[in-house]
Amino acid sequence: MALLIEQVLNGVQSGVMLFLMAAGLTLIFGVMGLINLAHGSLYMVGAFAAAAVASATGSFLLALVAALAAAAAAGALVEVLVIRRLYARDHLDQVLATFALILIFSEGVRWIFGSFPLFLDIPAALSGPVMLGPITYSKYRLALIGIGLVVALGLFWLTQRTRIGVQIRAGEADREMIAALGVDIGRLYTFVFALGAALAGLAGALVGAIQSVQVGMGEPVLILAFVVIVIGGIGSIKGALVGALLVGLTDTLGGVALPAALSLVMDLSAAQATGAALAQVGIYVLMAAILFWRPRGLYGHG
């Protein structure tokens, strides 16, 4: 039971961090209709900015602020200089252009920070374990769950209770109409892109404290983020949260349960390798099953 509780918490923590990545991606895809493969690079930018500022100042809070600012600024700059020219182009052009941005960001970060990984220390106040009933659990991972859920509530409030949220939701439904009503589409798109980039950068900074910060760290997460928004429904913040939690729990629990089950019929090393591979496959089986049941995702429109 203790192991199950711990792994469920690990799955939730993984899911809420994945949500930060997927929420920005689903906003950009839903509002702009843009396939942005460079979203993972903004995750990487946030992680490197946080590591650099934490190393210079020793402040984890300043590191998070730097991650948000750097990723948002990079996102806004990319939207104005590159992405704005792609809205009227087909998806293949968007894929090629944003793939080129991946290469540019990777080489730029390598040029500035070098090829060796950086490390971001967990703040002293959040280091060590905390007792949760029958288990001890990492304070920092528990804080990640709390931060992710607070950000989710903030996004729900932004999209449902504010004027800019009304414009974002209207932009998903009918861009031409809100432009005719006097909304500055260019400014709205830049805001949405910068917001999505800031969320990705925040996720990169937070995860950077429990893994190394290195060039290319955003691409594996980007693949899972696309799976999340397909499961949850494109353009849906609620869908991104539910989809991220499903993916996080499937990956984490599958990675524990499958090797344990396979060890009954094969040797331990083979069971661990096979179980880990099957856990990854399980994510895509989950996506296929949900799409078979609901082709537009759990909360997709239409």
Side-chain angles (χ1 to χ4, degrees), residues 218-228 284:
E219 277 65 60
V221 185
L222 178 68
I223 295 171
L224 290 178
F226 272 113
V227 172
V228 165
Y284 301 98

Side-chain angles (χ1 to χ4, degrees), residues 20-283:
L20 294 181
M21 182 76 168
L25 191 62
T26 199
L27 280 175
I28 292 169
F29 203 171
V31 174
M32 304 176 183
L34 177 80
I35 299 176
N36 179 27
L37 296 186
H39 200 67
S41 297
L42 299 169
Y43 174 92
M44 176 184 67
V45 166
F48 271 94
V53 170
S55 176
T57 66
S59 171
F60 190 76
L61 183 59
L62 285 178
L64 293 184
V65 172
L68 284 166
L77 191 63
V78 164
E79 195 279 334
V80 171
L81 296 180
V82 180
I83 302 299
R84 192 166 288 184
R85 293 164 173 76
L86 299 175
Y87 295 133
R89 308 291 288 270
D90 61 37
H91 288 322
L92 178 59
D93 291 337
Q94 296 172 0
V95 167
L96 292 173
T98 53
F99 180 75
L101 288 173
I102 294 176
L103 303 179
I104 293 169
F105 272 112
S106 294
E107 292 307 311
V109 168
R110 185 177 285 113
W111 178 66
I112 295 171
F113 296 101
S115 299
F116 297 103
L118 302 181
F119 297 93
L120 184 61
D121 293 331
I122 294 173
L126 296 176
S127 62
V130 62
M131 288 297 299
L132 292 176
I135 68 167
T136 58
Y137 195 69
S138 165
K139 287 182 184 177
Y140 184 71
R141 290 181 180 271
L142 200 61
L144 293 186
I145 294 174
I147 291 170
L149 294 178
V150 167
V151 172
L153 289 174
L155 283 175
F156 285 127
W157 173 80
L158 176 70
T159 56
Q160 301 297 322
R161 303 295 183 186
T162 66
R163 183 178 180 83
I164 189 69
V166 171
Q167 293 175 358
I168 290 172
R169 287 184 286 119
E172 294 178 24
D174 195 331
R175 279 166 274 179
E176 290 77 13
M177 180 59 71
I178 65 167
L181 292 173
V183 175
D184 188 333
I185 291 293
R187 185 177 299 176
L188 177 65
Y189 280 10
T190 302
F191 171 80
V192 171
F193 204 91
L195 175 61
L199 292 172
L202 176 62
L206 292 171
V207 173
I210 53 177
Q211 67 179 44
S212 61
V213 176
Q214 57 189 330
V215 175
M217 63 183 290
E219 277 65 60
V221 185
L222 178 68
I223 295 171
L224 290 178
F226 272 113
V227 172
V228 165
I229 67 172
V230 169
I231 288 174
I234 294 171
S236 171
I237 297 296
K238 181 179 180 181
L241 179 59
V242 173
L245 291 174
L246 287 174
V247 168
L249 289 169
T250 299
D251 186 30
T252 303
L253 295 178
V256 173
L258 290 174
L262 292 173
S263 66
L264 300 175
V265 295
M266 60 178 67
D267 66 84
L268 184 59
S269 60
Q272 289 175 339
T274 305
L278 289 177
Q280 291 292 317
V281 172
I283 295 171

